[in-house]
Amino acid sequence: MPSKYVKAWDEIFGGQEGIKDVLKQVRSGGVIGVPAGILRRYGRRKGWYGRIVLSGKGIVKSTGAAHVNALGRILQSHIEPKEKIECVVREENGQLTLYLSRSSESIQKRKIKRERRGEESEEKGITDEDLGDFYILVSRFEKDLRKFIKQKLGSKYTKRLRNDMPKLVEEWEHLRKKDEEWGIEPEKDLINYATIGNYIEIIRRYSRLFTGSPQELSAVETKLRDFANYGRNPLMHCRTITLQKYFSAKAAVNYLKKWIERKTQYKR
């Protein structure tokens, strides 16, 4: 029977494309950190530390923990014949993070060396080219999400929300009015004033329309928050987009796109 953690890692990476994206960056050098808190939903452990080194031929070293062995299973087919990828799961300040590196030198040793040199390579922002692509990814997905929500609620979605969630619609109308007062052309479609929190409220209110189980609802909410915290919000506030934020947001988008495809026939 496949390990329960295989599904957890698939969710963390956002599917095969997410794995390819992360490994592509690993191969360019440095250490890539990926938030892995979702693991807690799939099991309980006294300690989450784990390490595995993979080569094109299989597992080179492993601490033997079930969650890192499951990680090895889903990464193995993506490892090139002559390379070695080191993966370490750590719990730091209550947060679980997966660190991946191509170098044979241990992640911990390189981290210590960087600290001694005063370097913070893991916090380095993405390139301007990647930033442009990232903006398109984030903005396009949010538009797709709005379209999906409207499709599920029906052509008279505003009337439906006004009846079931009047405060939400009032909030959007207030924002539209503020645009008018400031001389800004208001949005024709009220849902364009929605926040990530609003999307989550709607999905919760109509959970049977949007999800098939409490577990799926929880996963969707988590990924929407990841999308906001690592993608949408940093872009809106002109914050540095680190590699960790970049890949976390992309993994969230990949997962949410698959969720949308499962629930409707709608695809881009």
Side-chain angles (χ1 to χ4, degrees), residues 103-213:
S103 173
S104 59
E105 185 179 20
S106 76
I107 289 173
Q108 183 62 24
K109 287 182 179 178
R110 273 182 284 113
K111 185 176 181 181
I112 292 171
K113 286 182 178 180
R114 284 199 310 273
E115 289 173 351
R116 287 175 178 171
R117 293 195 300 263
E119 296 178 0
E120 294 293 341
S121 61
E122 290 176 29
E123 294 302 314
K124 184 179 179 181
I126 60 177
T127 66
D128 289 344
E129 182 179 355
D130 285 337
L131 184 61
D133 292 340
F134 190 56
Y135 175 81
I136 293 171
L137 173 78
V138 169
S139 60
R140 182 175 292 170
F141 171 72
E142 185 160 2
K143 290 175 183 176
D144 288 350
L145 177 61
R146 291 170 184 163
K147 185 173 182 178
F148 168 62
I149 289 173
K150 289 193 296 181
Q151 282 185 338
K152 296 297 283 183
L153 294 181
S155 58
K156 297 182 179 180
Y157 83 94
T158 305
K159 182 178 180 180
R160 186 172 185 176
L161 289 174
R162 198 185 301 277
N163 290 333
D164 296 338
M165 306 177 72
K167 290 184 179 180
L168 182 65
V169 177
E170 287 173 9
E171 179 185 334
W172 294 349
E173 289 175 334
H174 175 68
L175 292 172
R176 175 188 274 177
K177 187 176 181 180
K178 285 183 69 175
D179 275 354
E180 293 172 346
E181 290 173 352
W182 281 92
I184 300 171
E185 184 176 353
E187 295 288 337
K188 294 180 180 179
D189 201 339
L190 274 178
I191 200 171
N192 290 352
Y193 291 102
T195 64
I196 296 297
N198 293 157
Y199 301 139
I200 291 174
E201 286 181 69
I202 292 169
I203 292 166
R204 281 180 183 168
R205 177 64 178 78
Y206 305 101
S207 59
R208 291 186 179 181
L209 275 179
F210 291 101
T211 60
S213 67

Side-chain angles (χ1 to χ4, degrees), residues 1 36 38 43-44 59 71 75 90 100 196 201 211 223 253:
M1 180 181 293
I38 286 173
R44 295 181 179 180
I59 296 175
L71 173 64
L75 292 182
R90 294 185 184 281
L100 302 97
I196 296 297
E201 286 181 69
T211 60
K223 289 301 182 180
V253 168

Side-chain angles (χ1 to χ4, degrees), residues 18-29 32 130 247:
I19 293 173
K20 291 176 183 177
D21 285 341
V22 170
L23 289 179
K24 180 180 178 181
Q25 193 61 44
V26 170
R27 289 171 182 131
S28 70
I32 304 302
D130 285 337
F247 286 110

Side-chain angles (χ1 to χ4, degrees), residues 5-23 34-36 38 41-42 71 74-75 78 98 137 141 219 222-223 226 246-262:
Y5 293 114
V6 169
K7 186 176 180 181
W9 287 117
D10 185 65
E11 188 175 331
I12 287 167
F13 285 112
Q16 298 298 306
E17 290 305 312
I19 293 173
K20 291 176 183 177
D21 285 341
V22 170
L23 289 179
V34 178
I38 286 173
R41 294 213 312 266
Y42 288 83
L71 173 64
I74 70 165
L75 292 182
H78 298 276
L98 166 66
L137 173 78
F141 171 72
T222 297
K223 289 301 182 180
D226 285 350
Y246 177 75
F247 286 110
S248 296
K250 288 193 74 172
V253 168
N254 288 338
Y255 176 88
L256 292 166
K257 280 183 175 179
K258 288 184 178 180
W259 161 63
I260 289 173
E261 290 175 7
R262 286 198 306 271

